[in-house]
Amino acid sequence: MAEMLAPLRRWEVVIWLLVLLALFLGSFLSPAFLTADNLGNLAANLSEIALMALTSTMVIVAGEIDLSVASALGMCSCLLGLLWSLHVPIALAMLAALIAGALAGAFNGVLVTWLGLPSLAVTIGTLALYRGLAFGLLGDKAVADFPTFFTNLGFGTVMGTALPNPMVLFFLLAVLTILVLHATPFGRALYAIGANPVAATFAGLPVLRHKFLLFVLSGAMSGLAGIVYTARFSSARGDNAEGFVLPVVAAVLLGGISIFGGKGSVIGVIAAVFLIGILQNALALIDVSNDILTIVTGSLLIASVLGPNLAAAVESRLERRALPGGRRRQPRRENEA
Amino acid sequence: MKRRALMIGAAGAMLAGTLPAEAAGIKPGLTIAFLPKQVNNPYFTTADDAGIAACKEFGASGKEVGPSSAGASTQVSYINTLVAQRVRAICISANDRNALVPYLKRAMAQGIKVVSYDSDVAPAGRQLFCSQADNETIGRDEVKLLGKMIDYSGQIAILSATPNATNQNTWIGFMKDELKKPEYAKMELVKVAYGNDDDQKSFTEMQGLMQAFPHLRGVISPTTVGVSAAARYLSSSPYKGKVTLTGLGTPNQMRAYIKDGTVQAFALWNPGDLGYLAAYAAGSLCSGVITGKEGESFACGKLGQRSIGADGVVILGPLTVFDKSNIDQFHF
Amino acid sequence: MSAAVAAERTGLFQALARVREVGLFAVLAALALATAAINPRFLGAQGVKDILEDVAVTALLCVGETIVLLMRQVDLSISSILGLTAYATGALFIAHPAMPIPLVMAIGAVGGAALGALNGGLVAWGGVPSLVATLGTLYVFRGADFAWVKGAQINATSLPGHFLGLATAGVGPVPFLALIVVGLIALSGYALRHYPAGREYFALGSNEEAARLAGIDVRRRLLLGFICCGAIAGFAGVLFTARFGTVDATAGTGLELHVIAACVVGGVAITGGVGSVEGAAIGALLLATISNALVSLRVPAFWEQTIEGAMLLAAISLDLVIARHTLALMRSGRRHG
């Protein structure tokens, strides 16, 4: 019994099965669902959240959190727009947006690692700060007259297919993130840091330097997502991507990353991003309102932790009954921050 | 809620009696979707409910879908879904003039008719725009209305929607231009504040305006959310009666403040009529009655014959100014 | 850690918390006086009334959040709980205009407590980390709100005048709303410090394992903490309706991060065990004063949020520096004494 359930204890497996189930459900609910155009549009719409979820995964694995990602996106998008409207070449403006994102991340990193402030508090502050700067840069203006080749980067698809360009970028970066997180010393160090920063320090890992780097990466990714957003909508304005932050965090957590750090894989997070996107699209196609999706998302999030916990409890009870005096299974996640 | 349902019911019953046998050449069985800036705004609920009722009149099925917040991108996934669903027409009030254009173009390329209402997109992204009133008139009339009430002198402020709201920014542009005329030489625009079309934020912004500019004589709030929040603040503050508030509001939200003297007069079009017009325009486009060219005209139920102006704009009509004398005749 | 050392440490942190409150108060007074020097209206009767009205609901939410933060947990769902009870209040008054206000308040608090119990149950018995559980319920409760309310809105005109009077009328420049909130803050502050049950929240957040060993029923305490927080958020929803008069399905959206920010500014540690409800309330007052002062000083609208974010970061950084300095001083004082 326990053997059979073993793969299901791995959340990544469960969530990919849920993605398959959602795809099946979608095609069953609406004939319009399983078409290349619809799936392409569905994926394109997830671009920014998917990109930011990759770096947010790393940040949360290391036991920190970055709530400023969406505001940094808005700020970078506005900077890009402002520079373009001042006749700066678009390539240079894009580079500036990336650098601005990295700097925004570095600022978070400094406050968290040098001053030792809790990242939750710091990034609530910079969430307001960067959004404020976004509005400060462009005010009530919206920059829209971007060159076609630039907007095609965001809006276009790969040569005649329905695969949107930003998704190619996402897949490349997703593979890179998987490799970095699961197959390099740096990645393993992040898990060690998240699991126990004190032990990681004693083991000689540069905890603070790694964390600083993570915030820089997270900020740079916001810059990149800002470029994608601006290209996709051909629009730079202060409120760009407002409200994207909780969906990013929700996707990471739903993907099985422990909020306490040290656990989970980016493969699960990718599945989580698509699971939410597929459900949203499928429900919209049958005219089910967004409210239901909100409820489903929240419930899934809770179930993603509650489910395995309950399963573990049931399993350990079964096992104890089968093997009297047998070693207790590892206890469930405890409530410590 | 109940009042709205009754109103629409009454309108439906009234129209059922006078329904033409075949609504001016509109084909039956169309599906028309309304995509407002945000679904939780009573203004759009009124407009879209009337639009859906209009669809029933000519045998189409109407529905409303949309986001709960008004960002540039929030409407895109709804456009994509409507395209996948193969609706025949989309009536949209755009959150961004440009961001939606490529997506709407894609919809039109697949044969879907696009009519913007309330808030326009760039002309490349739609066939028709049902405008509540001429933008220039709205902007200038608001200033004229306020000027008259404060004897053309003193500091004034504007309480707008979001900093990126397309309609409000256009109107504010015309307001500023109007204020340059010599008769307004003694009026000074001291601040444009943003309530983000959020009731609470508008309320606190109004508070802040009064504190920062104690000599403020008048406020224009060209958004239904802002003007009602501002009126509510003024009605319970010592500034009531001292500061003149006007703007664009719905009679139901403003009735109490007109009656207690907080507000003398404000203006608006009938949002229900706007949704109704958009529905007929969409129906006529889908049926080939019109193609969207300047000079064409179509029958629009209880609103009579309407014609298309330059740039594919159909204008609903002049603003109605509401004050003590007429407010009880309006219920929306 | 022996009991004596633990007690001494707790005493030290308590003293530290006091120092923080005094410091915050000094900052608050300096800010208010400086602003009033430029714009005397800022501290006029109407100015004071405006700030108190603005801060009342947030300060009340801070009380509940503080209890949860003390336990080293977090509750993100307060804004959604507030949204539900705010609309329920309006709906109750429309259905029964003669309903006594205390009854409506009780219904709001009980409703909020029930939702809080769900959070508490998930955390205490489900083993779901509070950030995940309450992010999930933030979505679920808000989704339920949307599904219930749809596009409807409650207007001030359909609420009884004496109910709205809670916010508009009062004693001198102090609205009844603020009096109620101050009373609740004083009450909960006293209870937290002077009742054993109250001190258990501090114990839980300082060291959960030690608290367990000391005989505290951790799960029960967690559950009760979340119930308190939910009840307070539910009650705050009633006051929200009295204050604004206009309620739709989005009421209170985004308030959760603002409340946590206020708590942190007010010296409540996000890492648990340290802080006071009075401090958190002062934090909320400081944030409200800053944003009102910026408007009073005619700062352009686009830069307001930037400055607010910067002030927030400055507050927590400064707080940390002062705290470290004080801690060092106290330690050396002890050594020599």
Side-chain angles (χ1 to χ4, degrees), chain B residues 210-241:
Chain B
M210 291 320 303
Q211 213 172 71
F213 304 99
H215 305 300
L216 208 59
R217 289 285 312 278
V219 175
I220 301 175
S221 183
T223 155
T224 58
V225 181
V227 78
S228 66
R232 205 172 63 252
Y233 174 70
L234 289 180
S235 71
S236 64
S237 79
Y239 309 113
K240 177 178 166 181

mmCIF file of all heavy atoms in Angstrom, chain B residues 210-241:
data_model
loop_
_atom_site.group_PDB
_atom_site.id
_atom_site.type_symbol
_atom_site.label_atom_id
_atom_site.label_comp_id
_atom_site.label_asym_id
_atom_site.label_seq_id
_atom_site.Cartn_x
_atom_site.Cartn_y
_atom_site.Cartn_z
ATOM 1 N N MET B 210 -8.753 69.019 0.580
ATOM 2 C CA MET B 210 -9.279 70.106 1.411
ATOM 3 C C MET B 210 -8.238 70.594 2.399
ATOM 4 O O MET B 210 -8.195 71.767 2.758
ATOM 5 C CB MET B 210 -10.530 69.663 2.160
ATOM 6 C CG MET B 210 -11.744 69.432 1.294
ATOM 7 S SD MET B 210 -11.944 70.649 -0.008
ATOM 8 C CE MET B 210 -11.994 72.160 0.920
ATOM 9 N N GLN B 211 -7.403 69.628 2.840
ATOM 10 C CA GLN B 211 -6.411 70.022 3.824
ATOM 11 C C GLN B 211 -5.265 70.801 3.174
ATOM 12 O O GLN B 211 -4.769 71.777 3.728
ATOM 13 C CB GLN B 211 -5.865 68.771 4.467
ATOM 14 C CG GLN B 211 -5.515 69.013 5.902
ATOM 15 C CD GLN B 211 -5.176 67.710 6.547
ATOM 16 O OE1 GLN B 211 -4.137 67.127 6.269
ATOM 17 N NE2 GLN B 211 -6.069 67.242 7.378
ATOM 18 N N ALA B 212 -4.874 70.360 1.982
ATOM 19 C CA ALA B 212 -3.738 70.981 1.326
ATOM 20 C C ALA B 212 -4.109 72.344 0.741
ATOM 21 O O ALA B 212 -3.283 73.238 0.669
ATOM 22 C CB ALA B 212 -3.204 70.071 0.226
ATOM 23 N N PHE B 213 -5.362 72.483 0.325
ATOM 24 C CA PHE B 213 -5.768 73.735 -0.318
ATOM 25 C C PHE B 213 -6.997 74.305 0.369
ATOM 26 O O PHE B 213 -8.124 74.160 -0.111
ATOM 27 C CB PHE B 213 -6.032 73.496 -1.811
ATOM 28 C CG PHE B 213 -4.862 72.908 -2.520
ATOM 29 C CD1 PHE B 213 -4.793 71.553 -2.767
ATOM 30 C CD2 PHE B 213 -3.805 73.715 -2.916
ATOM 31 C CE1 PHE B 213 -3.697 70.997 -3.403
ATOM 32 C CE2 PHE B 213 -2.706 73.169 -3.556
ATOM 33 C CZ PHE B 213 -2.642 71.810 -3.793
ATOM 34 N N PRO B 214 -6.774 74.952 1.509
ATOM 35 C CA PRO B 214 -7.908 75.423 2.313
ATOM 36 C C PRO B 214 -8.802 76.409 1.566
ATOM 37 O O PRO B 214 -9.961 76.567 1.925
ATOM 38 C CB PRO B 214 -7.242 76.083 3.518
ATOM 39 C CG PRO B 214 -5.781 75.983 3.330
ATOM 40 C CD PRO B 214 -5.478 75.221 2.109
ATOM 41 N N HIS B 215 -8.272 77.075 0.555
ATOM 42 C CA HIS B 215 -9.087 78.083 -0.132
ATOM 43 C C HIS B 215 -9.756 77.536 -1.382
ATOM 44 O O HIS B 215 -10.238 78.288 -2.227
ATOM 45 C CB HIS B 215 -8.226 79.296 -0.483
ATOM 46 C CG HIS B 215 -7.540 79.876 0.705
ATOM 47 N ND1 HIS B 215 -8.242 80.364 1.794
ATOM 48 C CD2 HIS B 215 -6.233 79.995 1.016
ATOM 49 C CE1 HIS B 215 -7.385 80.782 2.703
ATOM 50 N NE2 HIS B 215 -6.158 80.559 2.270
ATOM 51 N N LEU B 216 -9.755 76.222 -1.512
ATOM 52 C CA LEU B 216 -10.344 75.588 -2.687
ATOM 53 C C LEU B 216 -11.809 76.025 -2.830
ATOM 54 O O LEU B 216 -12.576 75.981 -1.874
ATOM 55 C CB LEU B 216 -10.254 74.069 -2.504
ATOM 56 C CG LEU B 216 -10.175 73.211 -3.745
ATOM 57 C CD1 LEU B 216 -8.952 73.596 -4.563
ATOM 58 C CD2 LEU B 216 -10.071 71.741 -3.349
ATOM 59 N N ARG B 217 -12.176 76.454 -4.065
ATOM 60 C CA ARG B 217 -13.561 76.865 -4.281
ATOM 61 C C ARG B 217 -14.360 75.776 -4.982
ATOM 62 O O ARG B 217 -15.567 75.644 -4.787
ATOM 63 C CB ARG B 217 -13.605 78.139 -5.142
ATOM 64 C CG ARG B 217 -13.134 79.419 -4.461
ATOM 65 C CD ARG B 217 -14.134 79.987 -3.454
ATOM 66 N NE ARG B 217 -15.516 80.084 -3.931
ATOM 67 C CZ ARG B 217 -15.991 81.076 -4.679
ATOM 68 N NH1 ARG B 217 -15.216 82.063 -5.054
ATOM 69 N NH2 ARG B 217 -17.252 81.075 -5.051
ATOM 70 N N GLY B 218 -13.671 75.022 -5.839
ATOM 71 C CA GLY B 218 -14.434 74.053 -6.607
ATOM 72 C C GLY B 218 -13.637 72.803 -6.957
ATOM 73 O O GLY B 218 -12.408 72.827 -7.015
ATOM 74 N N VAL B 219 -14.366 71.686 -7.119
ATOM 75 C CA VAL B 219 -13.731 70.425 -7.501
ATOM 76 C C VAL B 219 -14.541 69.802 -8.641
ATOM 77 O O VAL B 219 -15.769 69.754 -8.580
ATOM 78 C CB VAL B 219 -13.679 69.441 -6.316
ATOM 79 C CG1 VAL B 219 -13.139 68.086 -6.755
ATOM 80 C CG2 VAL B 219 -12.823 69.995 -5.186
ATOM 81 N N ILE B 220 -13.823 69.350 -9.674
ATOM 82 C CA ILE B 220 -14.475 68.582 -10.732
ATOM 83 C C ILE B 220 -14.008 67.140 -10.605
ATOM 84 O O ILE B 220 -12.808 66.877 -10.570
ATOM 85 C CB ILE B 220 -14.088 69.101 -12.136
ATOM 86 C CG1 ILE B 220 -14.478 70.567 -12.293
ATOM 87 C CG2 ILE B 220 -14.746 68.246 -13.215
ATOM 88 C CD1 ILE B 220 -14.004 71.171 -13.611
ATOM 89 N N SER B 221 -14.939 66.210 -10.505
ATOM 90 C CA SER B 221 -14.555 64.804 -10.477
ATOM 91 C C SER B 221 -15.229 64.088 -11.643
ATOM 92 O O SER B 221 -16.395 63.711 -11.562
ATOM 93 C CB SER B 221 -14.958 64.176 -9.147
ATOM 94 O OG SER B 221 -14.517 62.844 -9.117
ATOM 95 N N PRO B 222 -14.482 63.914 -12.751
ATOM 96 C CA PRO B 222 -15.112 63.372 -13.959
ATOM 97 C C PRO B 222 -15.193 61.848 -13.947
ATOM 98 O O PRO B 222 -14.878 61.185 -14.918
ATOM 99 C CB PRO B 222 -14.193 63.867 -15.078
ATOM 100 C CG PRO B 222 -12.849 63.954 -14.433
ATOM 101 C CD PRO B 222 -13.074 64.256 -12.984
ATOM 102 N N THR B 223 -15.581 61.283 -12.840
ATOM 103 C CA THR B 223 -15.753 59.837 -12.740
ATOM 104 C C THR B 223 -16.825 59.534 -11.700
ATOM 105 O O THR B 223 -16.854 60.171 -10.647
ATOM 106 C CB THR B 223 -14.444 59.102 -12.386
ATOM 107 O OG1 THR B 223 -14.754 57.856 -11.760
ATOM 108 C CG2 THR B 223 -13.603 59.903 -11.423
ATOM 109 N N THR B 224 -17.694 58.578 -12.005
ATOM 110 C CA THR B 224 -18.834 58.328 -11.118
ATOM 111 C C THR B 224 -18.382 57.890 -9.735
ATOM 112 O O THR B 224 -18.998 58.230 -8.736
ATOM 113 C CB THR B 224 -19.762 57.248 -11.709
ATOM 114 O OG1 THR B 224 -19.004 56.059 -11.910
ATOM 115 C CG2 THR B 224 -20.366 57.692 -13.016
ATOM 116 N N VAL B 225 -17.278 57.128 -9.674
ATOM 117 C CA VAL B 225 -16.792 56.653 -8.375
ATOM 118 C C VAL B 225 -16.278 57.839 -7.557
ATOM 119 O O VAL B 225 -16.601 58.004 -6.383
ATOM 120 C CB VAL B 225 -15.674 55.613 -8.554
ATOM 121 C CG1 VAL B 225 -15.196 55.106 -7.210
ATOM 122 C CG2 VAL B 225 -16.147 54.456 -9.405
ATOM 123 N N GLY B 226 -15.468 58.681 -8.209
ATOM 124 C CA GLY B 226 -14.847 59.800 -7.515
ATOM 125 C C GLY B 226 -15.853 60.816 -7.015
ATOM 126 O O GLY B 226 -15.786 61.256 -5.863
ATOM 127 N N VAL B 227 -16.807 61.178 -7.856
ATOM 128 C CA VAL B 227 -17.714 62.267 -7.477
ATOM 129 C C VAL B 227 -18.602 61.849 -6.308
ATOM 130 O O VAL B 227 -18.888 62.655 -5.411
ATOM 131 C CB VAL B 227 -18.531 62.757 -8.700
ATOM 132 C CG1 VAL B 227 -19.677 61.833 -9.041
ATOM 133 C CG2 VAL B 227 -19.035 64.169 -8.472
ATOM 134 N N SER B 228 -18.999 60.573 -6.253
ATOM 135 C CA SER B 228 -19.854 60.181 -5.140
ATOM 136 C C SER B 228 -19.048 60.078 -3.846
ATOM 137 O O SER B 228 -19.538 60.431 -2.765
ATOM 138 C CB SER B 228 -20.600 58.877 -5.443
ATOM 139 O OG SER B 228 -19.709 57.805 -5.546
ATOM 140 N N ALA B 229 -17.801 59.614 -3.929
ATOM 141 C CA ALA B 229 -16.961 59.549 -2.728
ATOM 142 C C ALA B 229 -16.668 60.965 -2.219
ATOM 143 O O ALA B 229 -16.732 61.240 -1.012
ATOM 144 C CB ALA B 229 -15.662 58.808 -3.017
ATOM 145 N N ALA B 230 -16.362 61.871 -3.144
ATOM 146 C CA ALA B 230 -16.066 63.256 -2.755
ATOM 147 C C ALA B 230 -17.294 63.901 -2.120
ATOM 148 O O ALA B 230 -17.189 64.601 -1.105
ATOM 149 C CB ALA B 230 -15.614 64.049 -3.981
ATOM 150 N N ALA B 231 -18.468 63.639 -2.685
ATOM 151 C CA ALA B 231 -19.698 64.218 -2.138
ATOM 152 C C ALA B 231 -19.942 63.687 -0.729
ATOM 153 O O ALA B 231 -20.365 64.420 0.164
ATOM 154 C CB ALA B 231 -20.882 63.876 -3.039
ATOM 155 N N ARG B 232 -19.645 62.401 -0.532
ATOM 156 C CA ARG B 232 -19.880 61.820 0.786
ATOM 157 C C ARG B 232 -18.962 62.459 1.825
ATOM 158 O O ARG B 232 -19.359 62.720 2.947
ATOM 159 C CB ARG B 232 -19.655 60.310 0.745
ATOM 160 C CG ARG B 232 -20.413 59.586 1.817
ATOM 161 C CD ARG B 232 -20.359 58.088 1.675
ATOM 162 N NE ARG B 232 -19.020 57.568 1.797
ATOM 163 C CZ ARG B 232 -18.295 57.084 0.805
ATOM 164 N NH1 ARG B 232 -18.804 57.055 -0.400
ATOM 165 N NH2 ARG B 232 -17.086 56.647 1.009
ATOM 166 N N TYR B 233 -17.714 62.711 1.431
ATOM 167 C CA TYR B 233 -16.808 63.374 2.374
ATOM 168 C C TYR B 233 -17.321 64.769 2.693
ATOM 169 O O TYR B 233 -17.448 65.153 3.853
ATOM 170 C CB TYR B 233 -15.378 63.451 1.823
ATOM 171 C CG TYR B 233 -14.480 64.267 2.729
ATOM 172 C CD1 TYR B 233 -14.118 63.768 3.981
ATOM 173 C CD2 TYR B 233 -14.056 65.538 2.383
ATOM 174 C CE1 TYR B 233 -13.346 64.524 4.852
ATOM 175 C CE2 TYR B 233 -13.277 66.300 3.242
ATOM 176 C CZ TYR B 233 -12.927 65.783 4.475
ATOM 177 O OH TYR B 233 -12.166 66.535 5.343
ATOM 178 N N LEU B 234 -17.647 65.528 1.654
ATOM 179 C CA LEU B 234 -18.065 66.923 1.875
ATOM 180 C C LEU B 234 -19.332 66.988 2.717
ATOM 181 O O LEU B 234 -19.459 67.844 3.585
ATOM 182 C CB LEU B 234 -18.294 67.618 0.535
ATOM 183 C CG LEU B 234 -17.029 67.908 -0.284
ATOM 184 C CD1 LEU B 234 -17.404 68.595 -1.586
ATOM 185 C CD2 LEU B 234 -16.062 68.779 0.508
ATOM 186 N N SER B 235 -20.266 66.045 2.489
ATOM 187 C CA SER B 235 -21.562 66.143 3.157
ATOM 188 C C SER B 235 -21.427 66.051 4.673
ATOM 189 O O SER B 235 -22.260 66.573 5.403
ATOM 190 C CB SER B 235 -22.507 65.046 2.655
ATOM 191 O OG SER B 235 -22.088 63.797 3.149
ATOM 192 N N SER B 236 -20.360 65.403 5.172
ATOM 193 C CA SER B 236 -20.232 65.284 6.618
ATOM 194 C C SER B 236 -19.075 66.114 7.147
ATOM 195 O O SER B 236 -18.596 65.894 8.253
ATOM 196 C CB SER B 236 -20.033 63.812 6.996
ATOM 197 O OG SER B 236 -18.817 63.351 6.457
ATOM 198 N N SER B 237 -18.600 67.064 6.345
ATOM 199 C CA SER B 237 -17.480 67.886 6.802
ATOM 200 C C SER B 237 -17.916 69.349 6.866
ATOM 201 O O SER B 237 -18.940 69.722 6.306
ATOM 202 C CB SER B 237 -16.305 67.747 5.829
ATOM 203 O OG SER B 237 -16.541 68.556 4.693
ATOM 204 N N PRO B 238 -17.119 70.166 7.542
ATOM 205 C CA PRO B 238 -17.479 71.600 7.610
ATOM 206 C C PRO B 238 -17.386 72.305 6.261
ATOM 207 O O PRO B 238 -17.813 73.445 6.144
ATOM 208 C CB PRO B 238 -16.459 72.174 8.602
ATOM 209 C CG PRO B 238 -15.397 71.163 8.751
ATOM 210 C CD PRO B 238 -15.955 69.841 8.369
ATOM 211 N N TYR B 239 -16.817 71.622 5.248
ATOM 212 C CA TYR B 239 -16.677 72.263 3.941
ATOM 213 C C TYR B 239 -17.956 72.209 3.121
ATOM 214 O O TYR B 239 -18.038 72.771 2.047
ATOM 215 C CB TYR B 239 -15.551 71.598 3.148
ATOM 216 C CG TYR B 239 -14.265 71.491 3.916
ATOM 217 C CD1 TYR B 239 -13.765 70.252 4.300
ATOM 218 C CD2 TYR B 239 -13.566 72.630 4.298
ATOM 219 C CE1 TYR B 239 -12.584 70.149 5.030
ATOM 220 C CE2 TYR B 239 -12.390 72.529 5.028
ATOM 221 C CZ TYR B 239 -11.904 71.296 5.384
ATOM 222 O OH TYR B 239 -10.760 71.197 6.112
ATOM 223 N N LYS B 240 -18.956 71.488 3.635
ATOM 224 C CA LYS B 240 -20.209 71.340 2.915
ATOM 225 C C LYS B 240 -20.805 72.709 2.603
ATOM 226 O O LYS B 240 -20.929 73.540 3.498
ATOM 227 C CB LYS B 240 -21.177 70.524 3.772
ATOM 228 C CG LYS B 240 -22.550 70.356 3.190
ATOM 229 C CD LYS B 240 -23.376 69.491 4.105
ATOM 230 C CE LYS B 240 -24.840 69.571 3.752
ATOM 231 N NZ LYS B 240 -25.637 68.755 4.665
ATOM 232 N N GLY B 241 -21.136 72.933 1.360
ATOM 233 C CA GLY B 241 -21.727 74.213 0.976
ATOM 234 C C GLY B 241 -20.686 75.268 0.656
ATOM 235 O O GLY B 241 -20.967 76.240 -0.028
#
